[in-house]
Amino acid sequence: MESVPIGQANAEMVIDLDAIDRNVRTLCRVAGDAAVMAVVKADGYNHGATRIAATAVAAGAREIGVATLSEALELRDSGIEAPIMFWLSGPGDDFAAAIARDCEIAVTSERHLDAVCAAARSAGRPATISIKVDTGLNRNGFCPRDYRALLTRIRCVKDAGLIRVRGIFSHLACADDPNCSITETQRSRFLNALETASAHGITPEVTHIANSAAALTRPDLHFQMVRAGIALYGLSPVATAAQLVPAMTLQARVVLVKDIAAGEGVSYGHMWTALHDTTIALLPIGYADGLPRALSGKFSVLIGHKRYPSVGRICMDQVVVDVGQHSGVREGDVAVLFGNGRHGESRAQDWAETLDTIHYEIVTGPRGRVRRRFIGGASTTTAGQAQNA
């Protein structure tokens, strides 16, 4: 995606819905007979959950996954009718609302099961649940030592009409590392968990353990469904030949162009000094907007068809770029900080490597005064201009 004329915001995330559509279709092909659950937690990995969910369903995703009940209810309010599952519940969650809005509840503990059953009794209708099994990630989910006893309880409340057991699932710890043996251990534990459930008279409608990495590289882990998170947004957690297209471009308007003389320092601490007379451009984005301060002096931006280095320390509200003399850069020009890389701009992956982190953290970072705008798909360029990051 090329840089597009910036809207009224000085800095914005441009979300390409055509890229989301293409990524979902790619994931559906990779998944084969397995369904694709589009994971849109954390406001769609900061891409805009409601628009991403609608685009994903239209492109072939059968289900939607989120972390929290509030995220699930927001999607229902936006008109998403596909099955929605949420898996991170707190003690105060309103499970009655989840039942009323037909949101699937991932049950992860005995206390959790009790609260869901109480809500089902009050609602007078069964709760739809999935059983989360801990196969080695050691976050939430039923522990192996408690699993058989809890299956007995689940069978009882199921037979009493309080719950509908729709799924059994787990989550992988090391699927992005093809050489890690824990994935095989988790696969074995998951198969055992399914066999144990069957022995207790519990046959789920759907089973799933594959995240994006396993969806792309491990067909033996697809089961009935794969959960596509980061890959949905065009970022791969593994080295893969799948044709994924990054959907987010971060860009800012040049608000000032000025000449400085050789020997002049730039920004706080003068960590950079001009070696010769040059011209600098000022971008109105800083660490308060999610631009990592640790990236100071370590990235470049694309203005027109040329990359220019950032110089000096990233400030709360702004960053400086050395555009050199006679560059033709003018106030109002668009500077692309990262995008899909097809026009020579940096990618989120490049920033992640520079900062020794992961691209998940990069794309979920922009915030505050950075606005979100959608292009492509059924959107118009004005559809997201008033939506905050």
Side-chain angles (χ1 to χ4, degrees):
M1 180 176 63
E2 296 186 58
S3 66
V4 296
I6 203 161
Q8 303 205 349
N10 280 330
E12 65 179 13
M13 296 173 285
V14 182
I15 309 301
D16 185 356
L17 296 178
D18 286 340
I20 299 295
D21 179 279
R22 175 172 174 175
N23 295 334
V24 172
R25 294 178 189 278
T26 296
L27 289 162
C28 287
R29 287 195 298 272
V30 170
D33 293 334
V36 171
M37 172 186 283
V39 179
V40 298
K41 64 180 180 176
D43 200 10
Y45 289 48
N46 203 26
H47 288 65
T50 58
R51 298 296 293 273
I52 299 302
T55 301
V57 170
R62 295 189 207 167
E63 307 198 15
I64 299 295
V66 292
T68 66
L69 172 58
S70 62
E71 292 174 328
L73 295 179
E74 180 182 2
L75 291 173
R76 281 284 183 253
D77 290 341
S78 76
I80 299 297
E81 297 179 353
I84 300 174
M85 182 179 76
F86 66 99
W87 50 72
L88 186 61
S89 297
D93 276 2
D94 183 2
F95 294 119
I99 295 169
R101 303 299 299 279
D102 196 23
C103 297
E104 185 176 333
I105 306 164
V107 173
T108 63
S109 71
E110 182 177 3
R111 175 199 58 76
H112 196 182
L113 178 63
D114 290 342
V116 171
C117 289
R121 288 190 189 94
S122 297
R125 56 181 287 192
T128 300
I129 73 162
S130 273
I131 302 169
K132 173 72 179 291
V133 182
D134 186 355
T135 56
L137 184 60
N138 289 308
R139 298 193 310 193
N140 65 1
F142 290 127
C143 297
R145 65 178 179 274
D146 303 323
Y147 185 55
R148 291 178 181 273
L150 285 164
L151 285 174
T152 299
R153 289 200 58 209
I154 288 172
R155 173 64 187 270
C156 288
V157 294
K158 172 180 173 292
D159 290 347
L162 291 176
I163 61 171
R164 165 196 171 203
V165 180
R166 183 164 185 271
I168 297 178
F169 75 108
S170 190
H171 194 44
L172 297 169
C174 303
D176 56 342
D177 180 357
N179 299 314
C180 184
S181 62
I182 187 60
T183 301
E184 300 306 322
T185 300
Q186 288 193 262
R187 179 181 183 275
S188 177
R189 290 174 178 175
F190 188 57
L191 290 170
N192 288 338
L194 297 181
E195 291 176 3
T196 303
S198 179
H200 283 74
I202 298 172
T203 303
E205 300 170 26
V206 62
T207 58
H208 47 105
I209 192 173
N211 53 9
S212 287
L216 293 168
T217 64
R218 293 290 302 266
D220 60 318
L221 296 178
H222 286 180
F223 293 90
Q224 283 83 41
M225 186 162 65
V226 300
R227 300 188 306 272
I230 196 66
L232 181 69
Y233 308 97
L235 302 170
S236 179
V238 293
T240 174
Q243 297 300 306
L244 302 175
V245 181
M248 179 186 290
T249 292
L250 179 64
Q251 60 187 30
R253 187 196 312 273
V254 175
V255 295
L256 179 69
V257 176
K258 63 187 292 186
D259 296 330
I260 64 170
E264 290 291 333
V266 167
S267 195
Y268 293 122
H270 282 187
M271 62 176 285
W272 182 85
T273 300
L275 298 178
H276 45 74
D277 293 350
T278 191
T279 301
I280 58 172
L282 189 66
L283 306 181
I285 183 171
Y287 59 77
D289 307 296
L291 184 60
R293 189 171 182 269
L295 208 58
S296 295
K298 298 176 182 178
F299 75 102
S300 61
V301 304
L302 184 72
I303 305 176
H305 298 285
K306 185 175 179 180
R307 284 173 66 157
Y308 300 98
S310 67
V311 294
R313 190 162 289 151
I314 293 171
C315 307
M316 183 180 291
D317 315 300
Q318 50 200 293
V319 66
V320 178
V321 176
D322 179 12
V323 298
Q325 293 182 305
H326 314 301
S327 66
V329 172
R330 298 177 297 177
E331 294 171 6
D333 285 349
V334 177
V336 179
L337 285 78
F338 68 75
N340 60 29
R342 292 184 173 180
H343 301 280
E345 75 274 28
S346 296
R347 304 164 303 155
Q349 177 64 32
D350 298 322
W351 283 21
E353 291 172 1
T354 298
L355 296 173
D356 192 25
T357 185
I358 54 177
H359 43 41
Y360 302 67
E361 185 175 6
I362 301 303
V363 295
T364 57
R367 60 180 183 269
R369 292 160 294 193
V370 181
R371 309 289 279 184
R372 183 187 295 128
R373 181 154 59 92
F374 297 99
I375 63 171
S379 74
T380 65
T381 56
T382 59
Q385 286 182 352
Q387 183 175 348
N388 281 320

